[in-house]
Amino acid sequence: MKRSWLERLGLICLLLTLLTLAITLTINARWLYQFDVEHLRLLDETFLSKKELLDNFDQLMSYLNLPWVEKLHMSDFPVSTSGAQHFYEVKRLFLLNYGLLAVTILPSFFYLRHLIRQKRLWTLVQPFQIAVAVPVVVAFLMAVNFDQFFVLFHGVLFNNDAWIFNPVTDPIITVLPETFFFHCFILFFVLVEIFYFLPIYFGK
């Protein structure tokens, strides 16, 4: 059955809504960082208590999440010019993600309501069967060689090497190890797979 351009737009919005929702839940998963503080023994890398470390993490996340927080300040971690540049670029990506979520969520709602009223949720099955396969492929490539994937990921999103932190000038990196980001990617892929599977389930 041929889709109208409005329905194609609705489908794209729904895909983006679910994708950006998965990203939003992942980047705000404070519980995951709390888990890794214990699991990865991050307190061994710093003189701070767990509460102090989490307070600094919260200060970083407030800067990244809130557009009105214009200057990054962490109580116990200095930030170099290069480090500040990278965090600013990350902040822009965070806000872009939130913007896409805000812009697409209402069209997605109306698109789903339209399909429900017409009893045509089944039309979501095929596109989401394709969509659900993409994260599986990317997750497999990540699992094969996360170091290379991590470098490639930064190469795609950033046009400089400011993300390569020097622990002497930016000691925050000692408590934000690569393994923590690996766990973040795992959480993201699990969430996006669940979200992309739901339209298949309800469509069938």
Side-chain angles (χ1 to χ4, degrees), residues 123-178:
T123 60
L124 295 176
V125 173
Q126 185 177 18
F128 275 91
Q129 283 177 334
I130 298 170
V132 83
V134 176
V136 173
V137 174
V138 179
F140 173 77
L141 295 175
M142 179 191 77
V144 169
N145 190 335
F146 182 71
D147 288 341
Q148 186 175 350
F149 175 86
F150 198 59
V151 172
L152 180 62
F153 172 80
H154 283 84
V156 170
L157 292 183
F158 306 101
N159 61 358
N160 55 59
D161 60 0
W163 64 274
I164 304 176
F165 280 35
N166 183 339
V168 175
T169 56
D170 289 288
I172 186 67
I173 198 61
T174 61
V175 291
L176 290 173
E178 191 173 293

Side-chain angles (χ1 to χ4, degrees), residues 20-185:
T20 53
L21 179 60
I23 294 173
T24 297
L25 292 175
T26 300
I27 61 182
N28 288 288
R30 186 179 189 269
W31 62 267
L32 181 58
Y33 187 69
Q34 287 180 287
F35 169 79
D36 272 351
V37 167
E38 301 290 344
H39 179 67
L40 302 178
R41 302 176 64 90
L42 298 184
L43 294 180
D44 293 346
E45 305 297 328
T46 179
F47 58 88
L48 302 177
S49 67
K50 182 177 181 180
K51 180 183 182 307
E52 290 170 330
L53 178 57
L54 290 174
D55 285 345
N56 281 268
F57 179 78
D58 290 340
Q59 290 169 346
L60 173 61
M61 293 306 298
S62 292
Y63 169 74
L64 295 177
N65 276 318
L66 305 175
W68 56 87
V69 179
E70 298 181 353
K71 184 174 176 57
L72 173 59
H73 171 75
M74 290 177 284
S75 301
D76 301 287
F77 292 100
V79 182
S80 69
T81 302
S82 176
Q85 177 189 353
H86 178 64
F87 282 126
Y88 172 70
E89 292 171 344
V90 173
K91 180 186 180 79
R92 288 195 305 179
L93 291 174
F94 273 36
L95 296 180
L96 173 63
N97 176 74
Y98 296 145
L100 284 172
L101 177 59
V103 166
T104 60
I105 193 166
L106 271 181
S108 297
F109 169 77
F110 288 118
Y111 173 58
L112 284 174
R113 189 178 69 170
H114 166 72
L115 293 182
I116 291 170
R117 285 179 172 177
Q118 293 196 348
K119 301 186 186 302
R120 292 178 54 233
L121 279 177
W122 61 269
T123 60
L124 295 176
V125 173
Q126 185 177 18
F128 275 91
Q129 283 177 334
I130 298 170
V132 83
V134 176
V136 173
V137 174
V138 179
F140 173 77
L141 295 175
M142 179 191 77
V144 169
N145 190 335
F146 182 71
D147 288 341
Q148 186 175 350
F149 175 86
F150 198 59
V151 172
L152 180 62
F153 172 80
H154 283 84
V156 170
L157 292 183
F158 306 101
N159 61 358
N160 55 59
D161 60 0
W163 64 274
I164 304 176
F165 280 35
N166 183 339
V168 175
T169 56
D170 289 288
I172 186 67
I173 198 61
T174 61
V175 291
L176 290 173
E178 191 173 293
T179 305
F180 166 65
F181 293 105
F182 178 64
H183 293 163
C184 288
F185 277 108

